[in-house]
Amino acid sequence: MSFIEIILSSGRFSVDIALYTLLPVMIVMLCIMKVLETKGIMDIIVKKLTPIFKPFGLTGMSTFALLQMNFISFAAPLATLSIMQSRGVSDRHLAATLAMLLAMAQGNILYPMIPLGLNWTAAIAISIIGGLCASSLTWYFSGRNLSDKDSHSSDQESNDSSSHSGLIKVINDAGLDAIRLAVGAIPMLTLSITIVGILKAAGAVTALEQTLLPLLNAVNISSMFVMPTLAKYLGGGTAYLGVATDLIQQGNMSATQINTSAGFLVNTFDLPGVGIFLGLSYRFVRLFKYAIPGILLGILVRALLHFFIFYR
């Protein structure tokens, strides 16, 4: 496949994800969030939840994002992040929330894995633990020099002034915001998928797989995990789900192995996932470096918990 063909194929796949995965979820979630916001319900919930999650460097709105990631899909929290940004939430809180989200498992992958033998209850509990570890490290250490003071943006003033607008206008505004955010994710997503395509075409993926085999054998880790790991971190959660399903159906992967590896292989910290989240705004690109240590800690905690609980 030529370089141009890889770019065109990546572009088509990126547009498909943006328009048929991100956009529908974001429209619905943004509509719900905007209605809650204009009715004042969101402010009430935020005030109730903020004291509970404050020790972890999170705001009440971060709780929406936590629930959306674990119980809906990776795309659902994008609406919450967008509103947090428009409300002028501080850099430090945003970095902690970003770290939490990228370290946790996404609902759209957890649900389809239940028939494969995934212990869903344990996976959710461990996901939340890992997310809180990620946000805490970011808040107290890697992001401690970031500003923790909220600002009042013009977007927030606009939201306040439109709080008495009709429901139809709120829904239309939410739809326009969803379209803007979904389209804004396409460049980063296209670039990350193009990188994957180039690596595959150059044989780098196959070479890496062959290189890792002796190391895995030395530490007594099945080489069966090589392909799912490469698929996940280069192609995203959906690519991993496809590979894992094939391995289960072929009898090459067990339910125990699914549960043992879920902490490491089910999260949004991969090329497509990072591309989508950073595509929201340049502000998230700037904060990403502060979130990385927390993300890595959160995934490590999840990986160890899954290993010690389910390893046979």
Side-chain angles (χ1 to χ4, degrees):
M1 183 180 290
S2 70
F3 180 64
I4 298 301
E5 289 175 329
I6 292 173
I7 295 176
L8 293 177
S9 175
S10 301
R12 284 191 293 268
F13 187 51
S14 301
V15 171
D16 182 72
I17 292 176
L19 296 185
Y20 300 106
T21 301
L22 295 180
L23 186 57
V25 175
M26 289 180 66
I27 287 176
V28 174
M29 295 310 302
L30 266 175
C31 285
I32 293 173
M33 298 292 287
K34 290 286 188 180
V35 170
L36 291 176
E37 185 179 33
T38 57
K39 298 298 182 181
I41 298 175
M42 182 180 293
D43 288 328
I44 295 174
I45 297 174
V46 167
K47 288 178 181 178
K48 295 289 185 181
L49 294 177
T50 295
I52 299 174
F53 288 90
K54 186 177 181 180
F56 302 102
L58 302 172
T59 68
M61 287 194 68
S62 302
T63 311
F64 281 103
L66 182 150
L67 296 175
Q68 290 167 330
M69 176 63 79
N70 285 281
F71 296 99
I72 303 176
S73 78
F74 76 95
L78 298 175
T80 303
L81 284 177
S82 175
I83 292 179
M84 289 176 70
Q85 179 180 238
S86 68
R87 283 186 159 211
V89 171
S90 72
D91 283 349
R92 197 173 175 187
H93 283 113
L94 274 182
T97 304
L98 183 63
M100 175 192 72
L101 292 173
L102 288 173
M104 291 194 302
Q106 60 270 51
N108 59 297
I109 301 299
L110 291 178
Y111 291 128
M113 291 185 69
I114 295 175
L116 303 182
L118 178 73
N119 186 322
W120 181 83
T121 304
I124 288 291
I126 293 172
S127 173
I128 294 174
I129 292 171
L132 295 179
C133 288
S135 64
S136 298
L137 183 71
T138 304
W139 176 262
Y140 291 107
F141 295 99
S142 59
R144 65 183 181 277
N145 293 325
L146 293 171
S147 171
D148 60 356
K149 303 298 182 183
D150 294 347
S151 62
H152 298 283
S153 66
S154 58
D155 288 338
Q156 172 61 22
E157 293 172 1
S158 175
N159 286 335
D160 292 340
S161 65
S162 63
S163 61
H164 301 291
S165 300
L167 180 62
I168 298 300
K169 184 179 186 305
V170 172
I171 293 174
N172 287 336
D173 289 344
L176 290 174
D177 286 342
I179 293 172
R180 175 180 57 81
L181 294 171
V183 172
I186 292 177
M188 289 290 290
L189 192 55
T190 301
L191 182 60
S192 64
I193 296 174
T194 299
I195 292 172
V196 174
I198 293 173
L199 291 175
K200 287 182 177 179
V205 173
T206 303
L208 180 60
E209 183 176 357
Q210 294 300 319
T211 302
L212 291 175
L213 284 178
L215 176 62
L216 294 175
N217 291 333
V219 295
N220 198 29
I221 296 177
S222 173
S223 59
M224 176 275 305
F225 287 112
V226 173
M227 195 57 219
T229 301
L230 293 176
K232 185 268 175 298
Y233 284 98
L234 295 179
T238 303
Y240 162 70
L241 179 61
V243 171
T245 301
D246 287 341
L247 290 172
I248 285 284
Q249 293 174 347
Q250 295 168 9
N252 296 324
M253 193 175 193
S254 66
T256 298
Q257 290 173 320
I258 284 285
N259 283 289
T260 302
S261 61
F264 180 65
L265 294 178
V266 184
N267 56 70
T268 51
F269 189 56
D270 48 50
L271 278 177
V274 170
I276 289 170
F277 275 84
L278 300 192
L280 279 173
S281 165
Y282 173 74
R283 190 177 178 191
F284 292 102
V285 176
R286 178 171 56 83
L287 296 176
F288 180 61
K289 64 180 180 181
Y290 299 100
I292 290 177
I295 296 168
L296 296 178
L297 175 66
I299 294 174
L300 176 62
V301 168
R302 291 184 56 220
L304 291 175
L305 287 175
H306 271 275
F307 180 82
F308 287 121
I309 291 173
F310 295 105
Y311 182 72
R312 299 289 185 271

